[in-house]
Amino acid sequence: MMKKKLLSAVLSGALALTCLAGCGQTSDPGQTTSSTEGEAKNELVFVNYRDIRDLNPHLYAGEMYAQSILYDTLVSITDDGYEGCLAESWTISEDGCVYTFNIRDNVYFSDGTLCDANAILANFNAIIENKERHTWLEMMNLLVGVSAPDSDTFVIELSEPYYPMLTELGCIRPFAMISPNCMIDGSTKDGVDGYIGTGPYVLTDFVTDEYAVFERNENYWGEAPAIEKITVKVIPDNQTRIMALEKGEIDLIFGKNMLDADAISQYVDSDQFTVSLSEPTSTRHIVLNTTHEILGDKAVRQALQHATNREAISEGIFYGLEKPADTLYATSVPYCDVDLEPYVYDTSIAEQMLDEAGWVMSSDGIREKEGQKLELDLLYNSDSVTEKTIAEYLQSEYQKLGISLNIHGEEEQSYRDNMKAGNFDMVFNICWGMPYDPQSSLAAMRAPVYGDYAAQLGLEDKAEIDQAITDILTSTDETERQELYTFVLTRLHEDAVYIPLTYECNKALYTSELQGVHFGSDQYDVPFADMYFE
């Protein structure tokens, strides 16, 4: 985290009322918590670009910052490794297939229900009922069964050892615990009757597309957070959020998609506001479809790598806030500090490779090969101004080399559907980020979860890469695991399936009175419980 520096130069109203009945009294979002002279402010006003949505912790529609403060998981992921959360401790069998968790005593959901091993078993049974929705997590494919031998003990049995097990259990969702009273006939796959967890805050009020209010859980089992009340205002527009911060209407803007480079750059030297930036969280990149008639030629894919000026994108679009990316994963990501030779930006190399591949410049300035034009389509998310800007820049730059790049944007769901189905030549994407990289995002490449699977189908070594990924996940030998990661990352790099652009980082802009702001191990978590006002 860097402070004051750049890193370079819906639920229905009925459901809402049901939730509130379990959570406590409602609050007036326009009423700030006053403090007498000498007392620290105890209300934080946060902002998000959209509503909290469905906060069912076993599904994927809700805002993760909200789920992370309402619900707890068995373990927590920290910078120093794993720590106990609802599980006070655990043991792993010698063969790596059985995990036995000792459940923390005297932990209660905010509706007063005891959170013991039986409650955790009820949660896992609800998750397993909807297993097909969660198979992007390899653990679900290896799961043999779960049990609660007694109220203090919870057991998970796998068919094979699985090294990312604790990481997946520590993610914000889907393995977070909700009160069994909120389940509908013991199920959560079709919805829940409330948002009751064991976390440090409870949801006390919300109005769709306007605000949400969270208040400190006074019966929280852990250390009580200093901030007693969090009011989250919904402000979709970036500039309006900045103005609200300037006026003192909000205290904190947090998230990689909540702040653009222009906004950050204005406050680097401010005394009134503080800028914080994280280490790289994920990689912004372009995926090349190897089944495409033209992109099936590795020489063309490698030429595009050399034709892409990452430094210019970093400086010209992100003011250096997002560093140029040489590889699919940053070297700071576990197992990814691999000796890979970057594709240097050199248009002469790109031109030479295209010439040697038979793509000859024609009189209209577009290369041809056997009567076919070197024309490619680049798909981007039309909701992303950044992707549109990068696409237009690449279109102009590639044109100089005789490459015709047609760019088109589609709204987010259509864009994602086409990416998953492989309906693209080139498409923007972003790595999953920590703590899902590299294990979960690589595992998903073996099936049509996102666009990676379709994009890699033209690779001669696709089956070999997939098998190595499978072996990674079940390897119990650290040295062997690193060798397998090195093999997979090297193959994908040399096959030039991905054009890395920049390394994304998490961003925060906040009043300088607010202390304790930092970035957690999960890029989607906002660690409110560590924050306080001077």
Side-chain angles (χ1 to χ4, degrees):
M1 182 177 71
M2 298 179 60
K3 293 188 176 180
K4 297 185 179 178
K5 293 182 179 179
L6 293 176
L7 282 179
S8 159
V10 174
L11 291 170
S12 66
L15 179 55
L17 291 174
T18 303
C19 169
L20 298 177
C23 294
Q25 300 298 315
T26 61
S27 308
D28 180 0
Q31 180 180 355
T32 58
T33 305
S34 61
S35 58
T36 59
E37 187 173 353
E39 290 184 353
K41 179 180 174 182
N42 56 19
E43 177 185 356
L44 171 67
V45 184
F46 183 58
V47 65
N48 198 40
Y49 71 102
R50 63 184 176 189
D51 187 63
I52 55 174
R53 303 181 295 154
D54 179 7
L55 297 181
N56 180 345
H58 300 163
L59 295 179
Y60 301 97
E63 292 301 279
M64 295 175 74
Y65 77 84
Q67 290 169 319
S68 71
I69 60 176
L70 292 176
Y71 308 111
D72 287 322
T73 51
L74 285 171
V75 299
S76 297
I77 307 169
T78 73
D79 292 338
D80 299 320
Y82 305 107
E83 290 183 356
C85 190
L86 293 179
E88 197 166 31
S89 61
W90 58 89
T91 58
I92 305 172
S93 64
E94 189 173 345
D95 65 0
C97 293
V98 180
Y99 287 69
T100 302
F101 297 90
N102 177 34
I103 304 306
R104 191 179 300 274
D105 292 332
N106 299 317
V107 175
Y108 292 85
F109 293 97
S110 57
D111 64 357
T113 303
L114 180 65
C115 182
D116 60 3
N118 296 312
I120 290 171
L121 178 62
N123 272 264
F124 269 81
N125 285 336
I127 295 166
I128 294 168
E129 181 190 13
N130 198 23
K131 179 180 178 179
E132 292 304 312
R133 184 66 182 83
H134 310 302
T135 51
W136 63 276
L137 294 163
E138 184 66 13
M139 181 270 247
M140 296 301 290
N141 299 316
L142 301 176
L143 186 64
V144 172
V146 293
S147 61
D150 56 59
S151 61
D152 296 322
T153 310
F154 179 70
V155 179
I156 300 176
E157 183 180 355
L158 306 176
S159 59
E160 296 183 69
Y162 181 56
Y163 95 86
M165 177 71 168
L166 293 176
T167 296
E168 293 185 359
L169 290 177
C171 291
I172 293 173
R173 59 192 186 197
F175 300 114
M177 304 298 119
I178 189 170
S179 171
N181 292 335
C182 296
M183 298 179 186
I184 301 173
D185 296 326
S187 176
T188 57
K189 68 183 180 67
D190 296 320
V192 293
D193 277 337
Y195 303 138
I196 309 300
T198 60
Y201 290 92
V202 296
L203 176 66
T204 57
D205 189 16
F206 74 88
V207 173
T208 301
D209 294 330
E210 292 187 22
Y211 65 83
V213 178
F214 301 85
E215 297 189 35
R216 188 167 65 188
N217 180 1
E218 298 303 336
N219 296 314
Y220 179 52
W221 59 270
E223 183 178 349
I227 300 295
E228 296 179 7
K229 179 179 178 181
I230 302 167
T231 299
V232 184
K233 296 184 177 181
V234 178
I235 304 178
D237 179 67
N238 177 61
Q239 192 55 42
T240 305
R241 291 194 292 267
I242 296 294
M243 291 174 61
L245 183 70
E246 286 275 6
K247 293 177 182 178
E249 296 172 355
I250 60 175
D251 301 306
L252 170 67
I253 306 174
F254 190 108
K256 63 183 182 181
N257 296 321
M258 293 289 292
L259 291 159
D260 60 26
D262 286 320
I264 291 275
S265 64
Q266 297 175 35
Y267 297 96
V268 174
D269 298 316
S270 170
D271 292 327
Q272 185 178 359
F273 302 103
T274 299
V275 170
S276 292
L277 303 172
S278 75
E279 293 297 318
T281 58
S282 50
T283 309
R284 190 186 302 276
H285 60 271
I286 294 173
V287 187
L288 306 180
N289 192 338
T290 62
T291 66
H292 185 267
E293 186 176 9
I294 295 174
L295 293 172
D297 186 346
K298 183 164 69 172
V300 175
R301 300 196 302 269
Q302 291 178 334
L304 288 171
Q305 301 276 356
H306 290 293
T308 304
N309 191 339
R310 300 161 176 81
E311 186 72 34
I313 293 172
S314 170
E315 293 296 332
I317 296 175
F318 299 106
Y319 296 81
L321 290 171
E322 292 190 11
K323 293 295 188 182
D326 291 326
T327 52
L328 180 58
Y329 300 106
T331 55
S332 57
V333 175
Y335 300 102
C336 295
D337 190 3
V338 176
D339 186 19
L340 300 175
E341 183 177 353
Y343 290 95
V344 296
Y345 171 62
D346 191 326
T347 56
S348 64
I349 295 177
E351 289 175 319
Q352 180 181 348
M353 295 186 76
L354 292 173
D355 288 339
E356 293 174 353
W359 293 97
V360 181
M361 189 73 76
S362 64
S363 58
D364 64 359
I366 303 300
R367 291 175 180 269
E368 292 184 0
K369 180 179 180 180
E370 300 175 354
Q372 181 182 20
K373 294 286 189 181
L374 184 44
E375 293 181 337
L376 300 168
D377 289 338
L378 174 57
L379 174 64
Y380 66 89
N381 180 357
S382 59
D383 297 328
S384 171
V385 175
T386 298
E387 288 185 6
K388 183 175 187 292
T389 303
I390 296 173
E392 290 173 343
Y393 168 74
L394 292 177
Q395 182 183 50
S396 174
E397 291 299 297
Y398 289 175
Q399 178 75 35
K400 299 173 185 177
L401 303 177
I403 304 169
S404 176
L405 186 66
N406 304 311
I407 64 173
H408 65 281
E410 296 183 4
E411 60 86 20
E412 184 172 1
Q413 191 56 54
S414 176
Y415 151 84
R416 291 189 178 279
D417 289 344
N418 278 305
M419 179 168 61
K420 180 177 179 178
N423 297 329
F424 62 87
D425 301 350
M426 305 166 62
V427 64
F428 280 95
N429 200 12
I430 298 174
C431 288
W432 294 16
M434 299 297 289
Y436 309 96
D437 287 339
Q439 73 286 340
S440 297
S441 54
L442 284 180
M445 291 179 181
R446 302 168 302 159
V449 177
Y450 287 100
D452 304 274
Y453 176 80
Q456 295 175 17
L457 285 178
L459 296 178
E460 293 181 0
D461 52 358
K462 170 65 173 168
E464 194 175 1
I465 291 172
D466 285 356
Q467 184 58 55
I469 293 172
T470 299
D471 293 341
I472 284 171
L473 298 174
T474 57
S475 172
T476 57
D477 182 270
E478 188 74 18
T479 300
E480 177 191 47
R481 189 183 305 148
Q482 181 61 70
E483 290 174 352
L484 288 165
Y485 268 118
T486 299
F487 170 80
V488 170
L489 296 175
T490 300
R491 283 295 182 91
L492 292 176
H493 183 76
E494 293 178 352
D495 281 335
V497 184
Y498 302 92
I499 302 178
L501 298 174
T502 58
Y503 294 123
E504 282 194 310
C505 61
N506 219 345
K507 310 174 183 74
L509 175 62
Y510 49 98
T511 173
S512 295
E513 296 176 350
L514 183 63
Q515 304 295 305
V517 178
H518 66 95
F519 303 100
S521 57
D522 192 313
Q523 62 178 322
Y524 302 104
D525 180 30
V526 183
F528 294 111
D530 297 331
M531 299 181 191
Y532 61 96
F533 286 96
E534 284 189 330

